Amino acid sequence: MAYWLQCIECSRKYEKRDIVYTCPHCNGLFEVKYDLDEVSKIIAGHEEFKRRNQGIWSYREILPIEKETNPISLQEGGTPLYHCKKLGNELGIKKLYVKHEGMNPSGSFKDRGISVGVTKAIALNFDAVACASTGNTSASLAMYSAYAGIKCFVLLPEGAVAIGKVSQAMIHGAEIIKIKGNFDFALELVKSLTTDPEKGIYLLNSVNPFRLEGQKTIGFEIFEQLGEVPDNIVVPTGNAGNISAIWKGIKEFKYLGFIEKIPRMISIQSKGASPIVRAIKNNYEKIQPILAPETIATAIRIGNPVNAPKALRAIKESNGIALAVYDEEIIQAQKDLARLEGIGVEPASAASIAGVKNLFKNGQIDKDEKTVCIATGHVLKDPDEIVAVCKEPMKLFEDEESLRAFVEKRLSSF
Amino acid sequence: MAYWLQCIECSRKYEKRDIVYTCPHCNGLFEVKYDLDEVSKIIAGHEEFKRRNQGIWSYREILPIEKETNPISLQEGGTPLYHCKKLGNELGIKKLYVKHEGMNPSGSFKDRGISVGVTKAIALNFDAVACASTGNTSASLAMYSAYAGIKCFVLLPEGAVAIGKVSQAMIHGAEIIKIKGNFDFALELVKSLTTDPEKGIYLLNSVNPFRLEGQKTIGFEIFEQLGEVPDNIVVPTGNAGNISAIWKGIKEFKYLGFIEKIPRMISIQSKGASPIVRAIKNNYEKIQPILAPETIATAIRIGNPVNAPKALRAIKESNGIALAVYDEEIIQAQKDLARLEGIGVEPASAASIAGVKNLFKNGQIDKDEKTVCIATGHVLKDPDEIVAVCKEPMKLFEDEESLRAFVEKRLSSF
């Protein structure tokens, strides 16, 4: 299978074995390109993908890994797509769906890309990997590199990462490096650590074009689970890799003739960290970084998203939307999803629901449209946030009589 | 489909719609009985179950829910079975497998039973459910009752429940009641709250015989994923519902002719909470409760397991084993599993691995036997425990130069 790297800015091509993360010529982002006509001949149509039912590796003819290479896989992907009828009714939208990426092995969508990325690291003979992270990437990278038997360095912004995520990096044995500064600074540092491939550390941030290839499979699964292409795919946006990856996959499926229509790509950010929303609103060519991003949704607390150029194209090409929501709306959406649908997600995930609520109010989403929200991470990722936002008092009881009186009172109040 | 309740002590039968949790005559535990000959006629052999691939509801002909009832399901079950080659090699056992129940929606195996239990509560017209819990049951019950739209009371022993689990009960909107006392006392209280069905609260502790029916599906999936019956199934044991349920399912599959051989049921407890191990060792008819159970594995910190009579039978009938392990061994096993296999579990889950290690050393498990350990919950359930047991220092860096020097030193030390 033929594939190569191509700069999205200057279109220069690089070989698949070149260790380059951004274009040496213009510093542009890379995209993995395939000879899709060749792919067409190898697989017997969309049905062949559907039949396999093996998570992300079902799509291996359009993943940048040679067929003789053994994937480093922990059964990522194949996550549930929930039809949220009650929440949809509440919002006025009948066809609301949530793709629960928190059901991946490490509890976030990152596993899809990291599975491909660590497989690539092994194929390229690296024995160490590194990333900067708001937490979910570090948890996933620690897990997969442990399984692969290679060393893992994770750079975390001090004091800005949820406890669940740090604990995962710890138990999976990563070398954890705290950085005095925010995520964007941590990313600068890890890029400089990995510039020289001779040092033996492979960079697995979402700037890595191979990693994004794993993430694009979210879209493929949605089409198969839904049986059709939805009108809208709503993606919480931090470093902007996910929305870029999903859109790239959609274009490939379209080229291959597996889908006919395309969905609108809708990017949701938090008001305190919304460079992409601002760029779309003001019709900027490039984003203007936010220097001190702030939001309760730590997973999208990013001021200078590395994949912004790709994300802006995804939104524009798909006739999509970018919208910022308040933290209070995120918290409310997180509770609504948990209490009406039994779906527990971390705050960043709930941003997508909060976004849909606003877009319906604004008339930008119609009640009859099929809308899929990506829930990026599991509620267990950030228990401290839950304790902080759920203020319901817990009563302490020592005996049966007082407990019984309390319960009867509560029952009669429904 | 015909099914009824039968007391395991006095064999008295009760109708499926009777609201009884333990035998009104002798206080014995109930078991759900099916007319398995009728089941045999309804389904076209084991192949029909295998084809369905829908988690626990694949087995609905041997679940105690009428076929016209809509299951309250969040896509529980269908969890990964990992072949742990590296860890197995380390322990000297080639065929070591882990069934990762932490991959259920709420992050523990409890979802299987709670899905059936809440479906039953709705079918019986209850509009409230209750449980006492070391945490995982409360998380699951809060989630499923939210989805079902009924009220949920959870009784938690004060200060003895991991933060992840409490946060789940909170976000899913359960009424959380803290109890001054341990789990066993909380269970006594919740039983008394639910004695009178007229009060409208359905008891969903693992004493509930319908709930256990959901849990038995773990065994069914193992046989299908492995393609055969393993020699040993190793189950961390707290309230002892899981080992009892799995064994019951095995007997049903054997009767139906879906399997030929049976596995040994191996119960692993923590040294500080091991009433079942003591009973087996001393050949007691009944367990002697431990008054102050203590272990880092909060999910199995139970001194008076309600399902002990069933568990003792499962171990004896299967020619099984019961073994207690030290907390230090649990912690080591948790790290080994995370660092060699990339599988993140909570401490109780790791007890099964620690147990296998000891049983191999003792000669009670042979190197060629196929052994499946049940990992009961996800590592994200108890992040505080991870932070406490992973003492590796985290370094803080402010600049590139010092970071680069540190990383090079670490790399050269491998």
Side-chain angles (χ1 to χ4, degrees):
Chain A
M1 175 189 54
Y3 65 89
W4 60 94
L5 294 173
Q6 187 162 353
C7 174
I8 69 164
E9 305 294 347
C10 72
S11 299
R12 277 183 176 73
K13 293 180 184 179
Y14 289 80
E15 296 294 324
K16 57 189 173 186
R17 291 195 67 87
D18 291 339
I19 315 288
V20 284
Y21 305 106
T22 51
C23 179
H25 178 74
C26 75
N27 205 30
L29 294 170
F30 278 121
E31 208 164 55
V32 179
K33 293 281 185 184
Y34 303 85
D35 182 341
L36 290 173
D37 296 320
E38 189 194 328
V39 170
S40 240
K41 286 174 207 148
I42 302 170
I43 56 165
H46 195 185
E47 290 308 315
E48 186 168 333
F49 279 161
K50 290 184 194 170
R51 248 196 318 273
R52 293 181 188 169
N53 198 19
Q54 300 159 342
I56 72 163
W57 296 98
S58 294
Y59 309 99
R60 54 179 310 170
E61 288 84 354
I62 41 174
L63 290 178
I65 301 292
E66 327 309 313
K67 67 169 187 275
E68 52 280 2
T69 302
N70 230 347
I72 303 296
S73 172
L74 290 163
Q75 303 191 32
E76 52 294 321
T79 55
L81 182 75
Y82 294 117
H83 185 180
C84 296
K85 294 181 193 168
K86 285 197 283 180
L87 181 56
N89 275 340
E90 195 125 308
L91 302 187
I93 302 162
K94 285 219 174 89
K95 297 165 189 164
L96 178 68
Y97 298 81
V98 167
K99 177 77 171 158
H100 193 356
E101 287 295 295
M103 295 291 291
N104 278 296
S106 81
S108 89
F109 73 96
K110 303 287 185 177
D111 294 344
R112 294 178 187 265
I114 294 295
S115 175
V116 174
V118 171
T119 302
K120 182 55 87 178
I122 300 287
L124 293 171
N125 285 317
F126 281 92
D127 48 23
V129 290
C131 71
S133 175
T134 59
N136 279 332
T137 300
S138 68
S140 182
L141 190 60
M143 180 181 242
Y144 281 81
S145 54
Y147 178 54
I150 58 177
K151 191 71 194 165
C152 175
F153 295 94
V154 303
L155 279 67
L156 305 177
E158 189 195 10
V161 174
I163 184 176
K165 308 176 188 186
V166 183
S167 74
Q168 289 180 286
M170 292 170 98
I171 194 71
H172 290 294
E175 193 84 52
I176 302 172
I177 295 165
K178 288 196 289 185
I179 299 299
K180 212 169 178 73
N182 63 19
F183 169 80
D184 303 296
F185 179 57
L187 181 57
E188 284 312 307
L189 285 181
V190 79
K191 274 186 190 166
S192 95
L193 275 183
T194 51
T195 311
D196 179 3
E198 296 298 317
K199 300 281 184 194
I201 311 178
Y202 190 60
L203 177 63
L204 273 174
N205 265 90
S206 68
V207 69
N208 183 308
F210 296 119
R211 212 189 102 185
L212 291 189
E213 293 300 291
Q215 289 172 212
K216 74 184 177 187
T217 59
I218 296 177
F220 302 160
E221 290 182 10
I222 290 172
F223 306 149
E224 290 168 18
Q225 290 171 312
L226 210 54
E228 63 178 312
V229 177
D231 298 291
N232 307 300
I233 295 183
V234 187
V235 191
T237 308
N239 219 6
N242 214 19
I243 191 167
S244 307
I246 296 171
W247 177 242
K248 177 174 187 284
I250 288 168
K251 288 192 290 183
E252 289 169 354
F253 256 39
K254 184 90 166 41
Y255 186 92
L256 289 165
F258 296 172
I259 55 174
E260 287 183 8
K261 68 174 232 188
I262 54 164
R264 289 191 297 177
M265 299 305 296
I266 300 181
S267 165
I268 308 294
Q269 298 196 294
S270 169
K271 290 269 185 188
S274 55
I276 287 175
V277 175
R278 290 191 202 180
I280 291 286
K281 192 176 166 189
N282 297 301
N283 210 15
Y284 298 152
E285 279 286 307
K286 283 182 173 181
I287 61 146
Q288 296 183 352
I290 311 285
L291 292 182
E294 196 44 67
T295 166
I296 195 167
T298 50
I300 52 173
R301 189 191 277 167
I302 293 178
N304 190 14
V306 69
N307 284 297
K310 290 182 178 177
L312 293 178
R313 291 183 192 190
I315 296 163
K316 289 173 191 169
E317 288 174 5
S318 70
N319 197 24
I321 306 170
L323 183 85
V325 293
Y326 290 103
D327 275 7
E328 294 68 31
E329 295 173 313
I330 291 176
I331 296 165
Q332 189 57 50
Q334 187 188 26
K335 288 185 184 174
D336 289 345
L337 195 55
R339 293 176 185 186
L340 291 171
E341 301 294 342
I343 303 173
V345 300
E346 66 165 325
S349 307
S352 59
I353 299 290
V356 167
K357 197 169 171 176
N358 283 315
L359 290 169
F360 177 69
K361 277 193 212 151
N362 301 345
Q364 289 177 280
I365 288 184
D366 187 79
K367 68 176 171 46
D368 293 320
E369 288 177 0
K370 272 207 166 86
T371 298
V372 177
C373 292
I374 311 294
T376 47
H378 201 280
V379 68
L380 283 167
K381 287 283 193 170
D382 194 356
D384 291 331
E385 182 263 347
I386 304 296
V387 174
V389 303
C390 293
K391 298 248 154 61
E392 296 82 356
M394 280 188 273
K395 278 218 160 193
L396 178 67
F397 293 93
E398 298 188 37
D399 67 282
E400 197 176 321
E401 205 173 331
S402 58
L403 172 64
R404 192 181 289 275
F406 170 77
V407 168
E408 295 202 356
K409 206 172 121 198
R410 298 299 292 157
L411 272 177
S412 66
S413 72
F414 303 141
Chain B
M1 173 189 56
Y3 65 90
W4 59 92
L5 293 173
Q6 187 161 352
C7 174
I8 69 164
E9 304 295 346
C10 73
S11 299
R12 276 180 178 74
K13 292 180 184 179
Y14 289 81
E15 296 294 323
K16 57 188 172 186
R17 290 193 67 87
D18 291 339
I19 315 288
V20 284
Y21 305 106
T22 51
C23 180
H25 179 75
C26 75
N27 204 30
L29 295 169
F30 279 121
E31 208 163 55
V32 179
K33 294 280 187 185
Y34 303 85
D35 182 342
L36 290 174
D37 296 321
E38 190 194 328
V39 170
S40 242
K41 285 173 206 149
I42 303 170
I43 55 165
H46 195 185
E47 290 309 315
E48 186 168 333
F49 279 162
K50 289 184 196 170
R51 248 197 317 273
R52 292 180 188 169
N53 197 21
Q54 300 160 340
I56 73 164
W57 296 97
S58 293
Y59 309 99
R60 50 181 311 168
E61 287 84 355
I62 40 174
L63 290 178
I65 301 293
E66 326 311 311
K67 69 169 185 275
E68 51 280 4
T69 302
N70 231 345
I72 303 296
S73 172
L74 290 164
Q75 303 191 33
E76 52 294 320
T79 55
L81 181 74
Y82 294 116
H83 185 180
C84 297
K85 293 182 194 168
K86 284 196 283 179
L87 181 56
N89 275 341
E90 194 125 308
L91 302 187
I93 301 161
K94 286 220 174 88
K95 296 164 189 165
L96 178 68
Y97 298 81
V98 166
K99 177 76 172 158
H100 194 356
E101 287 294 295
M103 295 292 292
N104 278 295
S106 82
S108 89
F109 73 98
K110 303 286 184 177
D111 294 343
R112 295 178 186 264
I114 294 295
S115 175
V116 174
V118 171
T119 302
K120 182 56 86 177
I122 299 287
L124 293 170
N125 284 317
F126 281 92
D127 47 24
V129 291
C131 71
S133 175
T134 58
N136 280 332
T137 300
S138 68
S140 181
L141 190 60
M143 180 180 243
Y144 281 81
S145 53
Y147 178 55
I150 57 177
K151 191 70 192 167
C152 175
F153 295 94
V154 303
L155 280 66
L156 305 177
E158 189 195 9
V161 174
I163 184 176
K165 308 175 189 186
V166 184
S167 74
Q168 289 180 287
M170 292 170 98
I171 195 71
H172 290 294
E175 192 84 53
I176 301 173
I177 295 164
K178 288 196 290 184
I179 298 299
K180 213 171 177 74
N182 62 19
F183 168 80
D184 304 296
F185 179 57
L187 182 57
E188 285 313 307
L189 285 181
V190 79
K191 274 186 190 166
S192 95
L193 276 182
T194 51
T195 311
D196 179 4
E198 296 298 315
K199 299 281 186 196
I201 311 178
Y202 191 59
L203 177 63
L204 273 174
N205 265 89
S206 68
V207 69
N208 183 309
F210 296 119
R211 211 189 103 186
L212 290 189
E213 293 300 292
Q215 289 171 212
K216 75 184 177 188
T217 58
I218 295 177
F220 302 160
E221 289 181 10
I222 290 172
F223 306 149
E224 290 167 17
Q225 290 171 313
L226 209 55
E228 64 178 311
V229 177
D231 298 290
N232 308 299
I233 295 183
V234 187
V235 191
T237 309
N239 219 7
N242 214 20
I243 191 168
S244 307
I246 296 171
W247 177 240
K248 178 176 186 283
I250 289 169
K251 288 192 290 184
E252 288 169 354
F253 256 39
K254 183 89 166 39
Y255 185 93
L256 290 166
F258 296 172
I259 55 173
E260 287 183 8
K261 68 175 235 188
I262 54 165
R264 291 190 296 178
M265 298 305 296
I266 300 181
S267 165
I268 307 294
Q269 298 196 294
S270 168
K271 288 271 183 188
S274 55
I276 287 175
V277 174
R278 291 192 202 179
I280 291 286
K281 191 176 169 189
N282 298 301
N283 210 16
Y284 298 151
E285 279 287 305
K286 284 183 172 181
I287 61 145
Q288 296 183 351
I290 312 285
L291 292 183
E294 197 43 68
T295 167
I296 195 167
T298 51
I300 53 173
R301 190 191 278 167
I302 293 177
N304 190 15
V306 68
N307 284 298
K310 290 182 178 176
L312 292 178
R313 290 182 193 191
I315 296 163
K316 288 173 190 166
E317 288 174 6
S318 71
N319 197 24
I321 306 170
L323 183 85
V325 293
Y326 291 103
D327 275 7
E328 294 69 31
E329 295 174 313
I330 291 176
I331 295 165
Q332 189 57 50
Q334 187 188 26
K335 288 184 183 173
D336 289 345
L337 196 56
R339 293 177 185 185
L340 291 171
E341 301 293 342
I343 303 173
V345 300
E346 68 166 322
S349 307
S352 60
I353 299 290
V356 167
K357 196 169 173 177
N358 282 316
L359 290 169
F360 177 69
K361 276 192 211 150
N362 301 345
Q364 289 176 281
I365 288 184
D366 188 79
K367 67 175 172 48
D368 292 322
E369 288 177 0
K370 271 206 167 83
T371 298
V372 177
C373 291
I374 311 294
T376 46
H378 201 280
V379 67
L380 283 167
K381 287 283 192 171
D382 194 356
D384 291 330
E385 183 263 349
I386 305 296
V387 174
V389 303
C390 292
K391 298 248 156 61
E392 295 81 356
M394 280 188 273
K395 279 219 161 193
L396 178 67
F397 292 92
E398 299 187 40
D399 67 283
E400 198 177 317
E401 203 173 335
S402 58
L403 172 64
R404 191 181 290 275
F406 171 77
V407 168
E408 295 203 355
K409 205 172 121 198
R410 298 299 291 158
L411 272 177
S412 66
S413 71
F414 303 141

